[in-house]
Amino acid sequence: MNDKKLMNLAADNIRILAASMVEKAKSGHPGGAMGGADFINVLFSEFLVYDPENPTWEGRDRFYLDPGHMSPMLYSVLCLSGKFTLDELQQLRQWGSPTPGHPERDLERGIENTSGPLGQGHTFAAGAAVAEKFLQARLGKEMIQHKIYAYISDGGIEEEISQGTGRLAGVLGLNNLIMFYDSNDIQLSTECGMVMNEDTEAKYKAWGWNVIKINGNDPDQIREAIKKAQNEESRPTLIIGKTIMGKGALKDDGSSYERNVKTHGAPLGGDAFQNTIKNLSGDPTDPFKIFDDVKALYENRQIELKKIVAERHAAEAAWAKTNPEKAAQMKEWFSGKAPKVDWSTVIQKENSATRAASAACLGALAQQVPNMICSSADLSNSDKTDGFLKYTKSLVKDDFSGAFFQAGVSELTMACMCIGMYLHGGVIPACGTFFVFSDYMKPAVRMAALMQVPIKFIWTHDAFRVGEDGPTHEPVEQEAQIRLMEKMKNHAGKDSVRVFRPADADETTVCWKLAMENIETPTALIFSRQNITKLPAGTDYEQAAKGAYVVAGSDEKFDVILLADGSEVATLVSGTELLRKDGIKVRIVSVPSEGLFRNQSKEYQESILPKGSKIFGMTAGLPVTLEGLVGANGKVFGMESFGFSAPYQVLDQKLGYTAENVYNQVKELLAE
């Protein structure tokens, strides 16, 4: 056990570095980082187990930061651990710097997750805890025996997602999850008492958590709380640490600047900064220093870790020798490679709904991909993720041998926990709900895109054909929204989200194949509720891998191109029969993924949609969904309202999604 005086000095060193980073950047959040320095110091200098020489070691403990604005705290402790240099700390929030204003995932640097939108970070941690339990059930405790640590703030507690996380972690008994709640009662514009007056301890206890309340600035109390949490056998642990916002800060007149809202989101500034650094035993003229005793503290921890890790590696090697098949399996699971799937086993029923076709694909995946977890937001029998569940069972407390994660009615929580499963490593997650409820998930989709997490989003009931449910459940603008993400690139220059809306059951199989092969970015799979007529015989569905292709039966020389994705392709096929009676030659193009199509060569794009062609597009979404493909010479028929309540066949007639309207619309286009 380290001396309390030394631990206080190390925490003060973190406070100095954090405040100095923000001061130099002239932007940032010093107060929270200064208050949380004690916990982060105890965790990293005494408890967190990782391999100093192999940052991606599968057996490492994982730390997930929720309040990303407290990045100076994380960067500072990682600097003490040898992951960042003092020079890099001085580049906080600058162009090209490895220390952006909110931490971005970088395993080599010890950063497990991108954080910023409050509430998501600790939900990632809960998902990682599920993944660890899932893998332990398959590989054993010799290989999978680590802890998942999370750090949450008042803002994260306030965000609604914390309810879903607390509920699910409690009901699943995630005793491998240890969360520190930095309860400093201060937020950006008010004191917390203005907006919350709850008994957080009672709330988490009601969810089935082990709750420990401590002075969050006392290293001895922090240490004992972590020990108790590590020994907890059946519940996740919440350590409520009452901390001091801006601990050690002084105003320009030398009076206390602690517990002040102004320290939350702005540099201390001028004499206040000078006084604060002096108060913490630093040199305001040269604050970017590591105290000798603190340097020794972290160097000693590195020595301890190497001994701990050497023993663990020896045990892992012995296990691998005894369990060669499992060892090979584990290596494959953590490789990040796409799983091997025999798609020839998938037999699709003609003219079925694509959600049913998706169920057939999920059934094959459940049988062939043993490290895949599928989830649903209380809709498995409607979004047809029960195609996966049919071959496994639900994950439940004390039994993680199943592979289906029942999230209940909590789409955002589900999505973030599934993202956390991937962040942990070794697991391929997929999650489903109705497409209209993707609105609840957009913050998670964006974070998955930023972190390049190849999660599979399964969205069914893709259009107004939800019918009797009425416009509240009928997605109209949702496809345009998610396809905007197709048009954005991530930091690696890849499409931020890959989107597929297949035209029939057989195209669904190909789209699922492409989704599973996509290990670079999230995939959105959008499926129909209603049955869809199979595309003409001879259609080469494998061409869907190019994002857009010509459907069989199209005329070689054509007067007009009819273009759509999803079930509207079949509507175009039916309209073609009427057009041909008038001698009009037609090319039909299915575009399940505009993003993939845009990534093809200009020659291929031109071969499918030649310049100058008359193009008619039909979409059950907003016209803007297809306008980029149709161009100035064409027109798009799409929805102009939220829809109406009626059986979908009636809606098709009333709203114009018929062969007759395709005929009329195309005739008007050609007459212009």
Side-chain angles (χ1 to χ4, degrees), residues 20 23 34 49 242 277 295 299 382 446 452 469 503 514 526 554 576 639 642:
S20 300
E23 198 70 21
M34 296 172 75
V49 174
K242 297 303 297 184
I277 301 305
K295 182 179 180 182
E299 287 176 344
S382 289
R446 191 171 191 272
Q452 301 172 48
D469 281 344
L514 295 168
I526 306 168
S554 294
T576 299
M639 291 287 286
F642 286 110

Side-chain angles (χ1 to χ4, degrees), residues 122 126 160-174 203-204 206-209 236 376-378 405-414 417:
H122 83 292
E160 292 90 337
I161 192 174
S162 67
Q163 172 176 317
T165 309
R167 170 177 56 81
L168 287 167
V171 78
L172 289 171
L174 301 179
K203 181 172 72 173
Y204 276 83
W207 283 326
W209 286 59
S376 177
D378 193 44
F405 173 50
Q406 298 283 8
V409 186
S410 53
E411 292 84 1
L412 179 57
T413 301
M414 172 185 69
M417 286 187 69

Side-chain angles (χ1 to χ4, degrees), residues 90-227:
Q90 296 184 60
Q91 294 301 307
L92 178 72
R93 296 177 169 240
Q94 304 308 303
W95 175 266
S97 166
T99 51
H102 288 71
E104 296 185 22
R105 186 176 188 239
D106 187 344
L107 298 187
E108 295 294 327
R109 297 271 193 169
I111 300 175
E112 299 282 353
N113 64 294
T114 300
S115 54
L118 293 176
Q120 290 198 51
H122 83 292
T123 311
F124 299 154
V130 171
E132 200 242 1
K133 291 277 190 182
F134 172 88
L135 292 167
Q136 189 180 85
R138 287 151 179 78
L139 300 171
K141 289 188 176 181
E142 294 91 345
M143 300 304 292
I144 309 294
Q145 56 175 285
H146 45 275
K147 295 293 185 182
I148 309 297
Y149 295 95
Y151 189 110
I152 192 171
S153 64
D154 291 303
I157 291 289
E158 292 170 23
E159 278 288 357
E160 292 90 337
I161 192 174
S162 67
Q163 172 176 317
T165 309
R167 170 177 56 81
L168 287 167
V171 78
L172 289 171
L174 301 179
N175 66 306
N176 54 340
L177 175 62
I178 301 171
M179 185 162 74
F180 179 75
Y181 168 26
D182 176 15
S183 178
N184 59 41
D185 300 321
I186 302 292
Q187 48 198 73
L188 184 64
S189 62
T190 68
E191 293 187 10
C192 293
M194 293 285 290
V195 296
M196 61 188 294
N197 186 27
E198 63 180 31
D199 187 336
T200 303
E201 177 183 8
K203 181 172 72 173
Y204 276 83
K205 282 183 175 179
W207 283 326
W209 286 59
N210 171 37
V211 182
I212 304 170
K213 295 183 73 172
I214 63 169
N215 175 349
N217 294 124
D218 185 325
D220 291 339
Q221 292 189 36
I222 294 169
R223 182 183 297 113
E224 290 307 307
I226 294 175
K227 287 179 180 178

Side-chain angles (χ1 to χ4, degrees), residues 343 346 348 357 361 502 504-514:
W343 293 100
V346 178
Q348 295 290 8
C361 295
D504 69 3
D506 289 315
E507 194 173 285
T508 297
T509 302
V510 177
C511 289
W512 253 116
K513 176 177 179 287
L514 295 168

Side-chain angles (χ1 to χ4, degrees), residues 53 92 139 158 220 395 419 439 497 513-514 528 584 593:
E53 297 175 353
L92 178 72
L139 300 171
E158 292 170 23
D220 291 339
L395 300 165
I419 290 170
D439 285 348
V497 177
K513 176 177 179 287
L514 295 168
S528 74
I584 298 171
S593 175

Side-chain angles (χ1 to χ4, degrees), residues 440-487:
Y440 287 118
M441 301 166 70
K442 294 291 167 47
V445 176
R446 191 171 191 272
M447 291 296 282
L450 281 169
M451 291 187 282
Q452 301 172 48
V453 172
I455 186 174
K456 320 306 173 189
F457 295 112
I458 303 165
W459 290 321
T460 67
H461 297 58
D462 67 345
F464 63 81
R465 298 177 185 93
V466 174
E468 294 92 333
D469 281 344
T472 60
H473 281 49
E474 295 173 10
V476 175
E477 73 277 21
Q478 281 73 19
E479 186 178 355
Q481 290 172 353
I482 197 63
R483 287 201 182 275
L484 283 175
M485 298 293 285
E486 268 189 315
K487 302 178 191 302

Side-chain angles (χ1 to χ4, degrees), residues 526-544:
I526 306 168
F527 300 122
S528 74
R529 178 196 187 189
Q530 82 289 350
N531 293 341
I532 300 176
T533 303
K534 179 179 172 63
L535 296 184
T539 294
D540 184 2
Y541 291 101
E542 293 299 324
Q543 294 300 307

